[in-house]
Amino acid sequence: MAKPQISYTCQNCGAHSTKWAGQCDGCGEWNTLQEEAPLSAGPGKALKGGRGRKLALTDLSEKEAPPPRTASGMDELDRVLGGGLVPASAILVGGDPGIGKSTLLLQAAAKFAHAGLKTFYISGEEASAQVRLRAARLGLTDAPVQLATETSLRDIMTTLDEERPDLVIIDSVQTMWSDNVDSAPGSVSQVRATAQELTTFAKRRGAAVILVGHVTKEGQIAGPRVVEHMVDTVLYFEGERGHQFRILRSVKNRFGPADEIGVFEMTGGGLAEVLNPSALFLSERGEPAPGSVVFAGIEGTRPVLVEFQALVAPTPHSQPRRTVVGWDGGRLAMILAVLESRCGIPFAGLDVYLNVAGGLKVSEPAADLAVAAAILSAREDVAVPAECVVFGEISLSGALRPVGQTENRLKEAAKLGFSSAIAPAGGKIRGRDGMSLREMPDLTAVVGEVFGAG
């Protein structure tokens, strides 16, 4: 019999290698390759045991009822889940340590338990007394949630098979270990095996399973990417420790729209829902100042207004700094290059700082024009009018490209008291909701007409 080939797996990204190396070829991390037991190569040339059963095939035209959902009563959580919790679904929740994942899920467990679901909360990181203290602080001691602390996957699966819960929360998947995998808890093999077993249980028993996952220093859920493919929904809990806002963002959802967000505010009594995030993100905005621009964005299906803040100052260093918080640094470099190449505005010898107020992370290309306006406002020391919102995508030629859902952006801005907007020309706009819209063909027009720079 051929000797099974030794395999080495990166504990950071899950990449495989047939030999050990000091640095992983996949992610570039050092000393993360560990030897793991070889996996089965699968069936041989012929399957043993006779014929299998014939599959039931259906047409694409067959209609099925949508899956039933259980609403928690937390509108922001239900929005991100696509309308509520779906039975037999597996959900993976990731976030930085201490951001509030356990607090959110304990509040959600209490809500679902009050809604009639048999709910289990299994913690592998904290003792039962610690979880009870948090529940007492949140005022959830009367919730019919069953609590356990265990890390052995075999014991957990035995309990779940006997008790038949409707909802299981595992906090966290990196602390669980399976006794048939020869590696330490938290390793790639253990995380993969644990997630596979719990996801299979959810499909087999019709229960919903929520897994809490640690994140790496890059902000991605630790462990192999295959874990994100196993589950039905992947949620990220984001936020800055210095801000009270927390964003629950859906990056994958088989039962609803992806990129949907729910906004929460961290208070002394737990996480409170923010039903109007635009007003909250702009609540600390004072008088109009150079470098401050309000962007009308879309997060999922929800329009959100957020403030971009820019500062341009002479640099004391030989290499100017480009510092970004809440946005893509590469896209900032592209916009600076377009301003310099197409509009003749130099930034050599100038430091550029860009910040998204409130701790929100914006990834929408429609924010290009708002960023350019904030940088120009800071450089020219000219404030953008307080009642104006800005949105639009910038191409490398300097032209402005229309963006989607313009009506929703204008409607949200009008609802919060804004009266004018700067946007690309050529967009299909049916209603303006009383907004005065200044349509610009390219970035040069914005520079000349709005700021008088060039």
Side-chain angles (χ1 to χ4, degrees), residues 69-404:
R69 295 180 183 269
T70 301
S72 65
M74 299 175 67
D75 294 337
E76 295 298 295
L77 176 62
D78 293 337
R79 171 196 293 271
V80 177
L81 292 176
L85 191 66
V86 177
S89 62
I91 302 168
L92 182 61
V93 180
D96 293 330
I99 203 68
K101 300 186 298 296
S102 299
T103 300
L104 172 68
L105 292 179
L106 190 58
Q107 290 182 243
K111 291 283 188 180
F112 283 118
H114 283 305
L117 298 185
K118 186 177 182 180
T119 305
F120 284 13
Y121 189 100
I122 300 176
S123 175
E125 299 184 345
E126 298 176 305
S128 300
Q130 292 175 299
V131 180
R132 292 193 185 96
L133 281 174
R134 180 183 294 115
R137 177 171 58 85
L138 300 176
L140 305 176
T141 52
D142 60 337
V145 177
Q146 300 298 307
L147 175 64
T149 55
E150 184 55 64
T151 58
S152 171
L153 184 62
R154 186 178 297 274
D155 296 343
I156 292 173
M157 297 304 299
T158 301
T159 304
L160 298 182
D161 279 328
E162 291 184 1
E163 296 290 339
R164 301 289 185 89
D166 299 313
L167 171 62
V168 182
I169 298 175
I170 304 293
D171 188 8
S172 66
V173 69
Q174 274 87 3
T175 61
M176 304 298 157
W177 63 276
S178 175
D179 52 15
N180 58 3
V181 177
D182 296 330
S183 58
S187 64
V188 170
S189 297
Q190 286 284 5
V191 171
R192 184 193 299 118
T194 301
Q196 178 65 41
E197 286 288 340
L198 292 169
T199 303
T200 303
F201 166 80
K203 305 302 181 184
R204 186 178 73 247
R205 296 296 190 187
V209 175
I210 300 178
L211 308 175
V212 178
H214 295 166
V215 296
T216 62
K217 61 183 180 181
E218 290 82 14
Q220 303 296 322
I221 293 178
R225 299 291 299 209
V226 69
V227 173
E228 298 189 18
H229 298 298
M230 290 179 185
V231 298
D232 300 305
T233 304
V234 179
L235 309 178
Y236 278 92
F237 204 41
E238 307 170 350
E240 300 291 338
R241 291 179 179 269
H243 294 91
Q244 72 271 32
F245 310 131
R246 299 291 186 268
I247 310 296
L248 184 64
R249 185 185 303 273
S250 168
V251 297
K252 172 189 174 182
N253 195 348
R254 291 173 178 163
F255 304 107
D259 290 329
E260 191 66 80
I261 68 166
V263 184
F264 298 86
E265 183 179 7
M266 180 64 78
T267 66
L271 289 163
E273 298 177 77
V274 178
L275 301 181
N276 191 349
S278 298
L280 192 61
F281 286 133
L282 300 177
S283 61
E284 300 176 357
R285 189 168 185 259
E287 294 297 321
S292 174
V293 171
V294 176
F295 164 60
I298 297 289
E299 293 288 343
T301 60
R302 158 185 280 177
V304 176
L305 267 61
V306 65
E307 179 186 3
F308 275 89
Q309 301 168 345
L311 175 64
V312 178
T315 180
H317 309 289
S318 59
Q319 185 71 25
R321 300 189 62 180
R322 306 288 186 254
T323 304
V324 185
V325 178
W327 206 53
D328 182 20
R331 205 157 184 91
L332 173 63
M334 183 199 77
I335 290 177
L336 292 177
V338 172
L339 284 171
E340 188 158 353
S341 176
R342 305 299 182 187
C343 304
I345 300 179
F347 286 89
L350 297 174
D351 288 335
V352 178
Y353 301 89
L354 182 70
N355 176 52
V356 181
L360 183 67
K361 294 180 181 178
V362 178
S363 59
E364 194 182 4
D368 289 352
L369 186 55
V371 171
I375 295 172
L376 288 170
S377 173
R379 186 185 184 279
E380 302 299 325
D381 198 27
V382 176
V384 176
E387 71 280 358
C388 181
V389 297
V390 183
F391 56 90
E393 183 180 353
I394 299 175
S395 65
L396 292 179
S397 64
L400 299 184
R401 305 175 65 179
V403 296

Side-chain angles (χ1 to χ4, degrees), residues 385-391 410 413 417-422 434-438:
E387 71 280 358
C388 181
V389 297
V390 183
F391 56 90
L410 297 177
F418 291 87
S419 59
S420 65
I422 300 175
M435 298 279 290
S436 172
L437 186 61
R438 300 178 65 181

